[in-house]
């Protein structure tokens, strides 16, 4: 079939835009990530004198970096509509966020939709596949204190021990609030067949839009971060003493990401912007951690139920284009998530100005030395 002039022009325009966006992303990374590292190197004396202030500043810089990633999608027209519970109500509390995983764009979507949730982004910890350690953003996540988990049965027990040690060392010392993980342990397309075979063997529901989650990381997080009085029998002792300690993990937030027609965004699309503008939908449900069972078998059942419910939510969404209303209500209410273009431009400008400043400083010292 012959290609018309109009089609050729359209393809050329998309390619040119993608090339420009890629060049901007590369430049953005070349100035923003080194600047983040250099600022924190310069602030090491503050880390010794006042670690709380140091991690506050680090958190602000980290949020700005994630805002830059969010801006790449926002300016391409990849927006977010939110459904279900309003997580702003628990943004200052400690919470574990369970998210279904379809593609690399899931992380970018979360980076965008959590930007307007108070202090969440600067005080959150991510659990991600170890391969991300070797990406351009790996050094940032390492400094911030995210945990890179290696998948595979051979590594499972060791990784859970390392996760527990990591949480005990970094979570409270850096004043983290939310911890985000993908319990499925991989992308939907890679795990669906194995999950369905396991479900058939164990007489569990057949799932198409999610896979059965893994228990390990969720159990370690609950065991490590939940205060004793919040999960099971209340701890004894003086109430005044307990109030002086961290409240511990208080909520579990079940986040379900849905893409139109079930076609997820990947990081390449997010960067290059070659797909037409689209809306990603995120549905939240909030559970008090005191209602989450601690015993492994009961916790496994509870976790499976959450993902079976995700399957129902996604089935309804793909059939109707909307999530179902909450129980007892007749209509589901959606909220369009927005970002300020002026703020995004300010963050990007700060990154490039910082890059220019560091370049001038290095040039000055280079000429002084040589």
């Amino acid at each position: 079939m012959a290609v018309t002039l109009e089609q050729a022009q359209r393809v050329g325009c998309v390619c040119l835009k993608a090339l420009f966006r890629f060049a901007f992303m590369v430049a953005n990374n070349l100035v923003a990530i080194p600047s983040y590292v250099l600022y924190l190197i310069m602030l090491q004396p503050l880390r010794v004198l006042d670690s709380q202030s140091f991690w506050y500043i680090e958190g602000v810089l980290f949020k700005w970096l994630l805002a830059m990633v969010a801006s790449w999608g926002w300016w391409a027209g990849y927006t977010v509509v939110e459904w279900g519970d309003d997580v702003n109500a628990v943004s200052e509390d400690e919470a574990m966020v369970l998210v279904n995983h379809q593609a690399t764009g899931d992380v970018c979507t979360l980076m965008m939709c959590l930007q307007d949730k108070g202090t969440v982004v600067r005080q959150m910890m991510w659990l991600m596949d170890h391969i991300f350690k070797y990406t351009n953003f790996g050094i940032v996540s390492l400094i911030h204190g995210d945990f890179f988990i290696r998948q595979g049965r051979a590594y499972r027990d060791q990784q859970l021990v390392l996760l527990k040690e990591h949480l005990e060392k970094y979570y409270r010392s850096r004043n983290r609030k939310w911890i985000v993980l993908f319990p499925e342990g991989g992308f939907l397309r890679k795990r669906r067949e194995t999950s369905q075979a396991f479900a058939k063997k164990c007489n569990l529901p057949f799932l198409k839009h999610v896979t059965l989650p893994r228990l390990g990381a969720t159990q370690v997080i609950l065991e490590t971060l939940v205060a004793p009085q919040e999960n099971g029998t209340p701890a004894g002792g003086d109430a005044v003493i307990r109030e002086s300690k961290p409240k511990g993990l208080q909520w579990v937030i079940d986040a379900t990401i849905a893409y139109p027609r079930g076609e997820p965004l990947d990081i390449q699309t997010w960067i290059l912007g070659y797909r037409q503008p689209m809306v990603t939908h995120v549905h939240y449900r909030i559970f008090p951690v005191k209602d989450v069972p601690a015993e492994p078998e009961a916790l496994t059942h509870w976790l499976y139920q959450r993902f079976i419910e995700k399957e129902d939510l996604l089935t309804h969404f793909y059939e109707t284009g909307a999530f179902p209303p909450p129980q007892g209500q007749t209509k589901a209410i959606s909220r369009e998530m927005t970002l300020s273009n002026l703020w995004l431009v300010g963050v990007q400008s700060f990154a490039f100005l910082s890059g220019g400043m560091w370049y001038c400083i290095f040039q000055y010292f280079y000429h002084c030395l040589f």
Side-chain angles (χ1 to χ4, degrees):
M1 185 174 65
V3 178
T4 66
L5 180 60
E6 183 180 351
Q7 289 173 325
Q9 288 176 335
R10 188 181 300 115
V11 171
C13 183
V14 169
C15 292
L16 186 63
K17 183 180 74 171
L19 183 62
F20 173 78
R21 286 175 58 88
F22 180 75
F24 177 80
M25 184 275 296
V26 171
N28 201 175
N29 277 273
L30 288 175
V31 296
I33 293 176
S35 293
Y36 166 88
V37 174
L38 290 168
Y39 277 126
L40 295 182
I41 290 174
M42 294 296 291
L43 287 170
Q44 286 304 303
L46 179 63
R47 183 178 182 179
V48 175
L49 297 171
D50 186 353
S51 63
Q52 187 173 358
S53 295
F54 173 86
W55 289 113
Y56 174 87
I57 296 170
E58 185 279 333
V60 171
L61 295 174
F62 183 79
K63 179 177 180 177
W64 291 354
L65 282 177
L66 267 58
M68 293 175 205
V69 176
S71 72
W72 305 341
W74 181 259
W75 288 333
Y78 304 147
T79 57
V80 173
V81 165
E82 298 176 310
W83 304 74
D85 295 334
D86 183 5
V87 295
N88 279 294
V90 299
S91 63
E92 296 301 317
D93 298 332
E94 290 188 23
M96 176 174 63
V97 186
L98 308 175
V99 192
N100 61 312
H101 208 9
Q102 300 175 67
T104 49
D106 298 340
V107 176
C108 300
T109 296
L110 290 173
M111 288 180 177
M112 174 186 287
C113 64
L114 296 180
Q115 283 290 326
D116 66 344
K117 306 297 186 293
T119 63
V120 163
V121 174
R122 67 176 178 84
Q123 292 182 291
M124 72 194 309
M125 179 181 286
W126 296 76
L127 265 65
M128 59 189 75
D129 192 279
H130 80 287
I131 197 67
F132 287 101
K133 185 188 297 185
Y134 307 105
T135 66
N136 59 313
F137 210 78
I139 183 64
V140 174
S141 292
L142 279 169
I143 293 172
H144 184 69
D146 297 328
F147 184 77
F148 299 94
I149 192 163
R150 185 182 289 271
Q151 303 293 342
R153 185 174 299 176
Y155 305 103
R156 191 170 300 160
D157 292 341
Q158 179 197 32
Q159 291 297 296
L160 295 179
V161 171
L162 292 174
L163 173 59
K164 182 176 178 62
E165 293 174 350
H166 185 88
L167 293 173
E168 290 173 342
K169 185 175 182 179
Y170 297 118
Y171 192 82
R172 298 258 156 70
S173 66
R174 299 185 181 184
N175 195 28
R176 298 295 174 243
K177 294 289 187 182
W178 285 21
I179 182 165
V180 180
L181 69 154
F182 301 92
E184 291 165 294
F187 297 140
L188 174 64
R189 68 179 187 277
K190 293 183 177 181
R191 292 209 62 244
R192 179 159 41 199
E193 186 176 339
T194 304
S195 175
Q196 289 172 346
F198 177 80
K200 184 177 181 180
K201 179 182 177 182
C202 298
N203 198 29
L204 293 167
F206 183 85
L207 306 177
K208 295 191 300 181
H209 306 305
V210 296
T211 65
L212 290 170
R214 293 171 176 173
L215 177 66
T218 304
Q219 185 178 15
V220 169
I221 291 168
L222 291 172
E223 289 176 350
T224 309
L225 300 182
V226 173
Q229 66 269 26
E230 291 187 20
N231 198 349
T233 305
D238 192 309
V240 176
I241 296 175
R242 289 203 304 272
E243 288 176 4
S244 67
K245 297 178 180 179
K247 293 181 179 180
L249 205 68
Q250 296 172 270
W251 310 98
V252 175
I253 299 172
D254 183 27
T256 303
I257 299 176
Y259 298 95
R261 301 179 301 280
E263 299 173 358
L265 285 171
D266 53 30
I267 187 66
Q268 299 94 321
T269 307
W270 193 269
I271 292 170
L272 300 177
Y274 51 78
R275 278 175 64 171
Q276 292 296 311
M278 59 171 284
V279 178
T280 300
H281 298 257
V282 183
H283 184 278
Y284 303 105
R285 289 178 301 169
I286 302 174
F287 298 89
V289 79
K290 63 181 177 62
D291 295 340
V292 180
E295 193 274 323
E297 186 175 344
L299 177 59
T300 300
H301 177 73
W302 185 90
L303 199 57
Y304 281 177
Q305 284 302 119
R306 301 290 75 76
F307 276 77
I308 292 168
E309 290 166 8
K310 281 179 183 289
E311 175 79 10
D312 295 337
L313 286 170
L314 290 168
T315 299
H316 189 281
F317 177 84
Y318 294 138
E319 290 175 352
T320 66
F323 283 110
Q327 191 172 7
Q329 299 184 21
T330 58
K331 185 177 180 181
I333 305 299
S334 63
R335 304 174 297 276
E336 186 175 351
M337 184 265 164
T338 61
L339 288 175
S340 166
N341 285 315
L342 181 62
W343 179 66
L344 292 176
V345 169
V347 169
Q348 293 284 6
S349 299
F350 175 78
F352 283 101
L353 288 171
S354 295
M357 178 193 73
W358 291 115
Y359 176 78
C360 291
I361 290 174
F362 281 120
Q363 283 287 93
Y364 172 79
F365 281 105
Y366 177 82
H367 288 299
C368 288
L369 294 172
F370 302 102

